[in-house]
Amino acid sequence: MLAPLFSAIIEGMLRTIVTILFVVIFLILSLPFLLIECLVKHISPEAYDWSQLRVVQWGLRVVAFLSGAKTTYIGLENIPTDEPVLFIGNHQSIFDIVLTYGILPNKTGFISKDGMKKVPVIATYMNRIHCLFLSRDNLKEGLKVITQAIAYVKEGVSMFIYPEGHRNKSGDPLKMDEFKDGSFKIAQRTGCKIIPVATLNTPAIFESHFPAIKKAKVVIEFGKPVSYAALTPEERKHVGSHFRGIVLEMLENNLNKYYN
């Protein structure tokens, strides 16, 4: 009886150790690359942007592979390849970003909590791929972040934001806090389309049994692009609630389809 449990514990810890070792080695070996890229930026800013993006995506795809996550992606065809968009979605795990960012086709920045800018090397990479750091306690700085995100979108960079404003730790895949309306000003001010993203079961990889990383079945769906201009006055008035409802419906459908 205890043998399968013991085997699962050993496997989980081995996955954790191997994944951490990869991340540490990746960050150390990438230091010379970061310096070289400073020169590339002066020669070709466009090549600099794309090389930074692809290196980060490669690293995240390796982490996804090492985690053993079996991810089903739905609606990848809904992501435009010729224009920037605003991605919005639910957030329950650090693996939400690992499994999502590695497959995005265009330059995309995440809006992350401000604590991440204190993490050596990782913060450098995040800055270089147009990520922004948002403080939940400073409204003035928050407005600056949204303003910068708007500027990035106008430059052709997509933005990804979790409108709840934090990672939901309830453990209930269908529980979400309210989506903050301010997150959608990026689409309102730029005219970019909004793509709702529903991520299901990522806590089963790590958070549900911290500190072990275990294999899990994950479903990530990208909804159809929605134009802010096409929303009704009532939908715009309660835009956060409207898109929360869209994401919740996607989660419910996939929970019934893939986990029952």
Side-chain angles (χ1 to χ4, degrees):
M1 292 292 292
L2 292 177
L5 177 61
F6 183 73
S7 177
I9 292 174
I10 293 298
E11 180 184 352
M13 294 310 298
L14 284 175
R15 285 187 182 278
T16 305
I17 292 169
V18 171
T19 302
I20 292 174
L21 281 176
F22 168 77
V23 171
V24 171
I25 292 171
F26 173 83
L27 293 176
I28 292 174
L29 294 181
S30 68
L31 290 175
F33 172 79
L34 289 173
L35 296 175
I36 293 171
E37 285 294 285
C38 291
L39 299 176
V40 174
K41 185 176 183 179
H42 290 290
I43 300 171
S44 174
E46 185 71 8
Y48 167 86
D49 281 347
W50 283 106
S51 62
Q52 297 287 316
L53 172 67
R54 296 312 184 204
V55 167
V56 171
Q57 288 185 317
W58 177 82
L60 292 177
R61 286 196 295 268
V62 173
V63 171
F65 171 78
L66 294 174
S67 75
K70 305 298 181 183
T71 309
T72 298
Y73 293 101
I74 304 170
L76 290 177
E77 69 279 2
N78 291 327
I79 306 175
T81 58
D82 58 350
E83 61 179 299
V85 297
L86 173 65
F87 296 97
I88 62 97
N90 62 311
H91 187 28
Q92 292 189 317
S93 168
I94 60 173
F95 273 89
D96 295 345
I97 298 172
V98 172
L99 298 177
T100 302
Y101 197 78
I103 53 90
L104 298 179
N106 297 332
K107 290 184 284 187
T108 305
F110 268 84
I111 296 183
S112 173
K113 61 181 181 180
D114 63 343
M116 289 301 299
K117 65 183 177 182
K118 300 176 183 178
V119 182
V121 186
I122 290 179
T124 301
Y125 267 116
M126 291 179 71
N127 274 312
R128 291 188 175 189
I129 57 173
H130 304 95
C131 291
L132 297 170
F133 304 99
L134 180 64
S135 171
R136 294 192 290 267
D137 303 320
N138 190 322
L139 180 60
K140 184 177 180 181
E141 290 301 313
L143 291 174
K144 287 182 179 179
V145 168
I146 296 299
T147 300
Q148 181 59 63
I150 290 169
Y152 278 155
V153 171
K154 289 180 178 180
E155 294 171 6
V157 179
S158 295
M159 295 304 300
F160 202 124
I161 188 169
Y162 295 113
E164 292 172 274
H166 59 87
R167 180 161 54 88
N168 192 316
K169 302 178 182 180
S170 69
D172 183 346
L174 301 181
K175 183 176 181 179
M176 291 182 288
D177 289 335
E178 295 301 316
F179 280 18
K180 295 178 174 55
D181 291 346
S183 306
F184 297 86
K185 289 188 179 296
I186 299 169
Q188 180 185 8
R189 295 278 299 277
T190 64
C192 74
K193 294 183 177 66
I194 304 167
I195 295 186
V197 184
T199 304
L200 195 58
N201 205 41
T202 43
I205 302 172
F206 183 57
E207 285 81 1
S208 296
H209 36 71
F210 177 87
I213 293 175
K214 296 185 179 181
K215 293 186 290 186
K217 182 171 68 173
V218 175
V219 179
I220 300 177
E221 180 174 4
F222 295 87
K224 293 186 179 298
V226 179
S227 170
Y228 187 91
L231 298 175
T232 67
E234 185 66 18
E235 289 169 344
R236 293 185 194 180
K237 184 178 180 181
H238 305 286
V239 64
S241 178
H242 174 68
F243 278 94
R244 182 183 179 277
I246 292 175
V247 172
L248 181 59
E249 183 178 2
M250 294 161 66
L251 289 171
E252 290 173 339
N253 290 339
N254 289 328
L255 186 63
N256 291 329
K257 182 176 180 180
Y258 292 97
Y259 294 91
N260 290 332

